[in-house]
Amino acid sequence: MKLVRFGPVGAEKPGLIDSDGTLRDLSGHLDDITPGQLGEEGLARIAALDVAALPAVEGPQRFGVPVAGARKFLAIGLNYADHAAESNLPIPPEPIFFTKAISCLNGPDDDVMLPLEATKADWEVELGVVIGKTCRYVSQEEALEHVAGYILVNDVSERAFQKERGSQWDKGKGCDTFGPVGPWIVTRDEIADPQTLDMFLDVNGKRMQTGNTRTMIFPVAECIAYMSRFITLEQGDILTTGTPPGVGEGQKPQAIYLKPGDEMRLGITGLGEQRQKVVAFDLKR
């Protein structure tokens, strides 16, 4: 299944995308797509519905973050060998992880707003997972059984905040709008192997990132198992797993960073696409 939340900001409705690509309204059966709906029982109830009988939604729609009420937004850094190389950093011996603020979550096609004093805003196409069952010291062999589904994430980053203003990556990762997620959650059964997915990201129509999840240093299952040794992962938590090469700070002969008016387009096999316009800081947003 492809589960979505659609409609204006703050008034999203639950929905799904059927096999023909039609958006169907689930609001007659559930109030929203929340962490509680993403366990095995909740997903089974949705899967048992007669999809053809669900109301079709006409016309273009805004998609929101596809899970409401996620409690944690966690991320793995430097998880592609070729990205580590372009960053002039060694291969990490263990997964590096950090947090992105829940307040940075953003719809997949909503504007990305540069914070005040931003000088090195960057893009990162990433494979994300949504947890479907509590993970606490889970084994790598069993880790993927705890996944509700997979999502597309743009881990937008402000490199000067991240790397030049102390040792905490979080301050460059959690700015408002820096977490576009979606357009939908693709349930685990539709992704046979999360380590075979092609990825891309364009800026202003130019291809900047091309990669495949097979080149991860630490595969998805290992990322989940490792993080569960330090942080309990709960239903609805979002974990994003690193980016391939081609980020702005790695461009040659000199780095390229986002500015107002730029447009990003990104996608992963089977997980849909995102499009964002970059805008200047606005306190009223």
Side-chain angles (χ1 to χ4, degrees), residues 127-141:
L127 171 65
V129 300
V130 180
I131 299 299
K133 184 165 57 174
T134 299
C135 295
R136 185 182 296 114
Y137 291 97
V138 68
S139 70
Q140 186 172 334
E141 292 72 24

Side-chain angles (χ1 to χ4, degrees), residues 173-238:
K173 294 287 191 172
C175 303
D176 290 350
T177 75
F178 272 25
V181 172
W184 36 70
I185 300 170
V186 179
T187 50
R188 188 180 76 231
D189 58 293
E190 293 200 10
I191 303 296
D193 184 355
Q195 303 306 152
T196 61
L197 306 179
D198 290 326
M199 319 165 72
F200 77 88
L201 185 145
D202 299 341
V203 178
N204 299 329
K206 180 180 179 181
R207 183 60 44 91
M208 307 303 287
Q209 288 188 276
T210 301
N212 187 286
T213 55
R214 73 172 61 93
T215 66
M216 283 184 182
I217 300 167
F218 307 104
V220 173
E222 186 172 357
C223 291
I224 294 170
Y226 183 85
M227 188 167 287
S228 78
R229 291 155 56 184
F230 305 95
I231 298 173
T232 297
L233 305 178
E234 303 166 293
Q235 279 184 207
D237 286 351
I238 299 168

Side-chain angles (χ1 to χ4, degrees), residues 3-5 63-66 108-109 152 181-185 271-274:
L3 300 176
V4 302
R5 298 174 65 247
F63 290 118
V65 177
D109 300 326
L152 172 62
V181 172
W184 36 70
I185 300 170
L271 302 185
E273 294 188 5
Q274 299 181 357

Side-chain angles (χ1 to χ4, degrees), residues 74-211:
L74 304 166
I76 303 292
L78 288 179
N79 197 24
Y80 287 72
D82 32 13
H83 173 51
E86 75 174 350
S87 301
N88 296 313
L89 294 169
I91 300 296
E94 297 184 29
I96 295 171
F97 68 79
F98 56 91
T99 63
K100 287 180 73 77
I102 288 294
S103 57
C104 84
L105 284 168
N106 208 30
D109 300 326
D110 293 345
D111 291 346
V112 166
M113 181 177 66
L114 300 181
L116 288 176
E117 302 181 2
T119 58
K120 297 182 179 180
D122 207 344
W123 54 83
E124 294 190 20
V125 58
E126 302 198 5
L127 171 65
V129 300
V130 180
I131 299 299
K133 184 165 57 174
T134 299
C135 295
R136 185 182 296 114
Y137 291 97
V138 68
S139 70
Q140 186 172 334
E141 292 72 24
E142 297 178 344
L144 295 185
E145 298 173 13
H146 293 68
V147 172
Y150 298 92
I151 51 172
L152 172 62
V153 176
N154 189 355
D155 176 21
V156 184
S157 309
E158 213 299 330
R159 303 300 186 190
F161 294 2
Q162 177 188 356
K163 298 182 177 182
E164 299 171 19
R165 302 184 68 170
S167 60
Q168 301 302 315
W169 281 21
D170 297 11
K171 68 178 68 171
K173 294 287 191 172
C175 303
D176 290 350
T177 75
F178 272 25
V181 172
W184 36 70
I185 300 170
V186 179
T187 50
R188 188 180 76 231
D189 58 293
E190 293 200 10
I191 303 296
D193 184 355
Q195 303 306 152
T196 61
L197 306 179
D198 290 326
M199 319 165 72
F200 77 88
L201 185 145
D202 299 341
V203 178
N204 299 329
K206 180 180 179 181
R207 183 60 44 91
M208 307 303 287
Q209 288 188 276
T210 301

Side-chain angles (χ1 to χ4, degrees), residues 2 4-5 7-8 26 44 51 61 72 85 89 98 107 118 141 145 150 152 214 219 244 262 264 268 276 278:
K2 294 181 175 67
V4 302
R5 298 174 65 247
L26 281 172
V51 174
Q61 295 291 326
K72 293 190 285 295
L89 294 169
F98 56 91
E141 292 72 24
E145 298 173 13
Y150 298 92
L152 172 62
R214 73 172 61 93
D262 286 344
M264 294 178 281
I268 296 179
Q276 296 112 25
V278 179

